[in-house]
Amino acid sequence: MGVTPSEFPSFVRRPVWLASTVLVCALSACGGGGGGGGGFALLPTSSGNGAAPAPAPAPAPAATVLTGVAATGAPFAGAVVRVTDAGGQVVCSTETQAQGGYSCVLPAGTQAPLLVRVSRDDEVLYSAAVKVEGTANVTPLTTVVVSRLAPDGNPDSLTASPAPITAEALARQVDQLNAALQPVLAALGVSAANPLTDTLVADGTGQDKLLDALSVSSRADGTAANIEITVKTADGVPVAISFRSSDTEIPALPANVQVAQLPPPDVVAALMQRITACYALPLTQRVGTASSDSGTAVGGAADVVAPACRQLFLSDDPATYYQSGQRVGRNANNNGAWASLFRSGATGMTFGRGNVAFVRGNGDLVLSYRWEDRQGNSDFDTLAVRQVDGALKLVGNGYDYAASVTPYAQHRELLNSPAYSSYGTGYDININNRTDGSGNPVFSRVEVLTPSGKTLTYVPQAGLSYLVIQRGDGTPTGTSVLRVRGEYASSTTTGNPADRESSLYFVNPQASEDDIRAYGNQGRWTMTFFHADTSKPSVEQSYRTLSRALTIGELRQLPMPSLPDSSRAELIAETAATGYVLFGAPSQNERNVVDLSATGGTDGWIVPAGALAPTSITVYGFAPFGSTVAGQQGNRFNDSATVRSTQRTVVIGCSSQSVGDKHCDAGDSTQYAQGTTINSLQFYARNARQVGVSKLIGLYKLQ
């Protein structure tokens, strides 16, 4: 791990000896008797005219080397490293290597203190150094240390004013952090270390073993950072401490915490490599029912024939895998667990950034990971795996139905009502609107028990692919998102978004910022599924989040995608009077689809630095109300398209969800029916902690 000293250039300062002085023994002081005192004198060599020579020039300052390892437990590989000096100047820009190591040759004259920033996607880690050479590791724990030195909790603030970074301040914060983590250190048999400067190798030993056992978050909210340190426990019940960066002391973890015995990072990485190796095989080698390497196939677990693929699963048998009611396979509708194994378009997919998120109650592990296909589409997701003889095997969650709970952070930009643009935070409780062979909903309702003990009811609605929250009076809302807090973007707009956005669902009373900060990252949610066929028993499933909902202060700090000015102006001009886009009669020349691109086919959206690039774009609207009469609203619908992180244009066609869904044209189901309206679109991405980040562009009007 890291880089050996022999790989760095050697800078040697050679002393300059000037033969310009003579040590003289004054005769009067060398002899025996008489004369008393005497001594030694340094006499300059004469320059011929009796004047002393000019002093030699001081040697030029040499470049220095700063090295370190960036890791979260697993190596933080392929991340951008930026080092700034005491004057706020960037003195090094580089990338971390496969094992997280980096090396920066700093220019001569670089002045400490230094701030080290390492970023990958929306994940950013920080460290600091009070010398211009040596070691500066970068981890979630060093990020905590540096956050506590920043006046507003945001380490980037130290770029312009690094004065708080001193040796004494760093030592004080390291001591406090080690004291708080002592129960975990004792349980792991690991000695306390300085996370900034001590040896770190991302191999599951020493400091890295501590990182593997923890989940650390640090979120700046404009005034301080909200920090949570969660221990990955053996019994699956999370143990955590939370505090503000501005707090005087760090609270200690409870004694005798039962830390899980987790596989080292290389074992997790090996699973990612094995999955990648399976997908590197041509389709006909992966699947026995494939007739060519350029199409698709259907089949079941037994049709996965490649040993490299079969050995991913428990007992080397894909038939042992069960995830959300699906077995390994693919049918004609592209349904099935690991259905991508049966598609040629998935050949060459890569899997990486595996990390153990937590331990399930049955001892299985939940991993977070990232996938990317050959076209550049990518996303973060989770896997349930089991440790078997030193390796990890895929087992699935064992549940019957597809559902998830993810924190949800949204900025709603209302083009035709800008004063009411807002921020909202909460949880997206996504429950698949499962239908039978005739298109009828399978569920009558799903009851969701939140970590706070509140029960919510979700119900199916025609035209939507997900169940929606039902209000207390029994009416459906049209949304799956439980919003715990909202604020208008403008401080001059009075009131709350819940007052005017009646289609949204806010808890009442709304949570305060302090309330949200007190939520645990790993909250437990329980769902009970009730069938439309009342002869079938209810089914219970539970879920755990990897992050809590963001506070509004934290959400305001997030950069998000936006529309180009020209597209925004065009949409406002088209929808200012009505608040929606209205489709006329479909045709093959002017197709009724959503073409999200600017004039001339240029970029349809902008992704600023530090923002998550959207991985899906969704349009929302209403089907025609019984006819093509404009202004009358039929059933709600949503249509989505997956986009690559580098993609900036997309065309979204119509997609029918159920038998009662009438928003697609009867003659060409890929086009929208005449009279269909669209009133908003959403850019969406999900980060490694499964936080869904949404930028919604609303066309509708609020009064």
Side-chain angles (χ1 to χ4, degrees):
M1 170 69 65
V3 185
T4 62
S6 62
E7 296 176 72
F8 303 134
S10 175
F11 300 95
V12 180
R13 299 182 181 180
R14 298 183 179 278
V16 179
W17 295 99
L18 300 178
S20 59
T21 59
V22 178
L23 190 62
V24 178
C25 173
L27 293 178
S28 60
C30 293
F40 297 99
L42 291 175
L43 303 179
T45 301
S46 173
S47 61
N49 59 6
T64 54
V65 179
L66 185 72
T67 64
V69 172
T72 57
F76 204 61
V80 176
V81 180
R82 188 189 72 190
V83 180
T84 54
D85 68 2
Q89 298 299 309
V90 177
V91 291
C92 177
S93 293
T94 185
E95 285 193 2
T96 56
Q97 302 305 307
Q99 295 304 309
Y102 76 91
S103 173
C104 278
V105 178
L106 305 179
T110 297
Q111 297 294 311
L114 307 176
L115 180 69
V116 184
R117 185 181 193 272
V118 181
S119 60
R120 187 177 66 185
D121 298 325
D122 69 325
E123 294 181 272
V124 186
L125 302 176
Y126 296 89
S127 188
V130 293
K131 297 181 180 180
V132 295
E133 59 185 346
T135 301
N137 297 319
V138 192
T139 72
L141 294 180
T142 65
T143 302
V144 171
V145 169
V146 177
S147 296
R148 285 176 59 78
L149 299 185
D152 61 354
N154 184 353
D156 281 330
S157 301
L158 295 170
T159 302
S161 182
I165 303 175
T166 65
E168 294 77 11
L170 291 174
R172 183 168 57 253
Q173 294 303 328
V174 167
D175 288 345
Q176 281 198 24
L177 188 58
N178 281 331
L181 299 178
Q182 185 55 43
V184 179
L185 292 167
L188 296 174
V190 174
S191 300
N194 187 323
L196 295 96
T197 58
D198 286 356
T199 300
L200 172 62
V201 181
D203 61 357
T205 64
Q207 280 197 71
D208 193 61
K209 189 175 184 179
L210 174 63
L211 293 174
D212 286 334
L214 303 175
S215 176
V216 182
S217 62
S218 179
R219 310 176 182 96
D221 65 9
T223 58
N226 302 307
I227 299 167
E228 180 173 323
I229 301 176
T230 305
V231 182
K232 300 170 187 176
T233 55
D235 60 3
V237 179
V239 174
I241 54 173
S242 59
F243 53 97
R244 301 269 280 168
S245 61
S246 55
D247 290 349
T248 304
E249 301 290 337
I250 300 176
L253 284 161
N256 302 317
V257 61
Q258 300 299 308
V259 183
Q261 295 297 312
L262 302 176
D266 61 336
V267 172
V268 178
L271 174 62
M272 299 293 107
Q273 292 162 6
R274 285 158 44 212
I275 301 175
T276 299
C278 165
Y279 277 84
L281 298 173
L283 179 61
T284 53
Q285 293 184 31
R286 297 198 304 266
V287 177
T289 55
S291 58
S292 75
D293 289 328
S294 59
T296 58
V298 296
D303 299 309
V304 179
V305 295
C309 299
R310 296 186 64 83
Q311 291 166 6
L312 295 173
F313 300 91
L314 187 67
S315 302
D316 298 343
D317 184 0
T320 61
Y321 188 88
Y322 188 59
Q323 172 85 12
S324 300
Q326 295 185 330
R327 299 286 184 183
V328 170
R330 179 181 181 275
N331 63 20
N333 294 321
N334 197 39
N335 292 322
W338 293 92
S340 56
L341 284 171
F342 294 75
R343 294 188 293 105
S344 62
T347 301
M349 285 182 67
T350 58
F351 297 76
R353 304 189 191 177
N355 179 63
V356 178
F358 60 85
V359 180
R360 301 184 76 193
N362 65 355
D364 289 344
L365 308 176
V366 172
L367 307 183
S368 62
Y369 72 98
R370 180 180 183 271
W371 61 261
E372 182 173 357
D373 66 16
R374 290 177 301 175
Q375 290 73 43
N377 299 309
S378 64
D379 201 0
F380 293 95
D381 212 333
T382 59
L383 284 172
V385 303
R386 187 170 299 167
Q387 298 186 74
V388 180
D389 297 330
L392 299 180
K393 297 285 189 174
L394 306 176
V395 294
N397 59 20
Y399 290 158
D400 290 331
Y401 299 122
S404 63
V405 181
T406 55
Y408 188 79
Q410 186 180 67
H411 176 210
R412 299 174 75 87
E413 181 184 4
L414 305 186
L415 299 188
N416 294 310
S417 303
Y420 299 125
S421 294
S422 65
Y423 290 97
T425 184
Y427 296 89
D428 186 1
I429 304 172
N430 192 290
I431 305 170
N432 186 34
N433 188 7
R434 188 168 178 173
T435 57
D436 60 19
S438 301
N440 298 307
V442 167
F443 307 122
S444 63
R445 71 186 189 281
V446 176
E447 293 183 355
V448 180
L449 180 65
T450 71
S452 64
K454 180 181 177 62
T455 298
L456 305 167
T457 300
Y458 278 67
V459 294
Q461 193 173 22
L464 296 180
S465 61
Y466 51 87
L467 270 62
V468 301
I469 305 175
Q470 181 176 276
R471 297 187 188 278
D473 61 4
T475 58
T477 60
T479 181
S480 65
V481 178
L482 169 67
R483 289 171 167 82
V484 299
R485 183 173 175 83
E487 289 182 7
Y488 287 120
S490 172
S491 60
T492 62
T493 303
T494 59
N496 188 275
D499 301 333
R500 292 181 174 84
E501 296 269 30
S502 59
S503 64
L504 306 182
Y505 184 86
F506 287 88
V507 298
N508 187 19
Q510 293 186 22
S512 68
E513 295 282 85
D514 287 340
D515 291 336
I516 299 172
R517 281 193 285 265
Y519 294 170
N521 278 336
Q522 296 188 12
R524 187 174 186 270
W525 303 68
T526 302
M527 300 185 191
T528 305
F529 296 76
F530 294 89
H531 299 95
D533 180 353
T534 56
S535 66
K536 293 183 177 180
S538 61
V539 174
E540 184 177 290
Q541 300 176 177
S542 64
Y543 298 85
R544 190 183 308 174
T545 56
L546 305 189
S547 170
R548 62 161 170 77
L550 303 185
T551 67
I552 297 297
E554 294 164 353
L555 175 51
R556 287 179 182 271
Q557 311 304 309
L558 294 184
M560 290 192 179
S562 63
L563 293 175
D565 290 342
S566 59
S567 297
R568 180 183 286 102
E570 183 179 343
L571 274 175
I572 291 173
E574 182 178 355
T575 64
T578 62
Y580 54 76
V581 173
L582 172 67
F583 284 104
S587 72
Q588 293 304 312
N589 294 329
E590 293 292 336
R591 291 178 55 79
N592 278 0
V593 295
V594 176
D595 183 353
L596 192 57
S597 61
T599 304
T602 56
D603 290 355
W605 61 91
I606 298 167
V607 180
L612 276 173
T615 55
S616 70
I617 297 177
T618 302
V619 293
Y620 299 89
F622 290 91
F625 182 74
S627 66
T628 58
V629 178
Q632 298 189 40
Q633 295 181 345
N635 290 333
R636 288 177 56 85
F637 71 86
N638 65 289
D639 289 323
S640 300
T642 299
V643 295
R644 301 185 302 275
S645 60
T646 56
Q647 190 172 334
R648 297 295 182 267
T649 64
V650 71
V651 174
I652 303 175
C654 193
S655 177
S656 181
Q657 299 291 342
S658 66
V659 291
D661 184 1
K662 303 297 183 183
H663 78 288
C664 297
D665 180 61
D668 181 355
S669 61
T670 65
Q671 294 196 57
Y672 291 99
Q674 183 175 2
T676 294
T677 58
I678 289 177
N679 64 13
S680 56
L681 63 94
Q682 172 186 248
F683 300 101
Y684 180 85
R686 185 171 52 182
N687 67 16
R689 289 183 179 270
Q690 302 294 286
V691 177
V693 179
S694 161
K695 173 62 177 285
L696 184 132
I697 306 296
L699 309 176
Y700 57 91
K701 304 173 70 175
L702 294 178
Q703 301 299 327

